[in-house]
Amino acid sequence: MSSERPRLRSLLFVPGTRIDWLAKARAAGADAAILDLEDAVPPAGKAAACARVAEAVGRATDDMAVFVRINPLDGWAGAEELRAVAHPRLAGVILPKVNGPADVRLADRLLSWCERELGLPAGHIALVPLLESATALREAYTIARAAPRVAYIGAVTGKGGDVERAIGYRWSPEGTETLALRSRVLLDVRAAGVPCPVAGLWTSVADLDGLRAFAEQNRALGYEGMMAIHPSHVPVINEVFSPGAEELARCRRMIAAVEEAQARGAGAITFEGDMVDEAMAARARAVLRDATPER
């Protein structure tokens, strides 16, 4: 089931107390909204927010995937939230404060029970573990392999957040201090077979140029999308993680050139100054296959 997850370029956090902001996420063109029941909701308001989030999930439509970030599964509260929001229209659950594969296996079992109650196929609801501690980042590979429903996992290295505190780096707009970390986590989740890894976050709301540079760096590493905290970030992220018209046109030209050469019995050929062969053509076909239509 996990390999069939749709590619998501932008996943926008929406406070669980502000369900009405889903309309803003939709208008911004977000591929997914993450309704947040953890950091965005004070303790006294979590029960009421959970009820509103569950209602919003039930009203979700196909134009934007809806995820829910529950509270950690270190007590009954998180498990009750998970059961409350489980629904055929729920795209996935964001699991915070993951310490290791045991946390993922527990969430997987709980989701399996929910799916059985709802008459859903096993693995219908995706699971996105958040790697927010040094231990979790170190165990990215085993966490990613802990359940087939794991998807969209990656390194989220926002300014001043849990990861910066856990690792001790000093955040910079250039991202050089987290480049190796984001690269290693990406390699781990790719090796684990997890589809559609996403990165994040960019917390400077008004600095769209900085956001673009950071998103381009993540795309160059191999990430397929980013989590976001503000609607104004969504169009930039969508643009960066979507192939441009010239890239798509070059892919088509390359495929045609390689296939024409193969018909002549040739292997590698020179194409627009580069040496290319079937491996490059296969990559070009993947780009065309995964290209996301503009919303």
Side-chain angles (χ1 to χ4, degrees), residues 6 16 36 69 76 92 125 231 248 257:
D36 189 8
R69 177 162 73 169
W76 285 112
I125 300 171
L248 295 175

Side-chain angles (χ1 to χ4, degrees), residues 8-15 21-22 24-25 28-36 40 64 67 69 94 128 130 152 155-159 198-205 207-208 211-212 214-215 218 224-239 241:
L8 300 175
R9 302 164 297 176
S10 51
L11 298 88
L12 178 64
F13 277 99
V14 175
W21 287 4
L22 279 173
K24 295 182 179 180
D31 287 345
I34 301 172
L35 295 172
D36 189 8
M64 182 177 67
F67 291 71
R69 177 162 73 169
I94 311 293
V128 188
L130 290 184
Y152 308 110
V156 180
T157 55
K159 179 181 181 181
V198 299
L201 294 158
W202 185 258
T203 60
S204 300
V205 174
D207 185 6
L208 298 185
L211 166 66
R212 180 177 296 276
F214 185 60
N218 282 320
E224 297 187 21
M226 274 181 58
M227 294 181 179
I229 62 165
H230 195 271
S232 66
H233 291 185
V234 169
V236 175
I237 291 172
N238 283 351
E239 181 181 345
F241 286 96

Side-chain angles (χ1 to χ4, degrees), residues 3 10 24 45 58 88 119 125 127 130 167 169 201 206 219 223 259 267 278 287:
S3 62
S10 51
K24 295 182 179 180
I125 300 171
L127 181 61
L130 290 184
I167 304 301
Y169 59 76
L201 294 158
R219 188 191 181 200
Y223 284 99
E259 290 179 349
E278 176 55 31
V287 170

Side-chain angles (χ1 to χ4, degrees), residues 254-255 258 275-285:
M254 179 193 298
I255 293 168
V258 170
M275 187 66 69
V276 300
D277 58 18
E278 176 55 31
M280 288 74 170
R283 171 61 178 159
R285 292 188 193 99

Side-chain angles (χ1 to χ4, degrees), residues 145-170:
R145 284 181 58 86
R149 72 173 74 244
V150 173
Y152 308 110
I153 184 176
V156 180
T157 55
K159 179 181 181 181
D162 291 326
V163 177
E164 181 175 343
R165 183 171 64 253
I167 304 301
Y169 59 76
R170 296 296 182 265

Side-chain angles (χ1 to χ4, degrees), residues 130-151:
L130 290 184
L131 309 176
E132 300 174 279
S133 68
T135 300
L137 289 159
R138 178 67 177 80
E139 296 296 322
Y141 177 75
T142 56
I143 289 171
R145 284 181 58 86
R149 72 173 74 244
V150 173

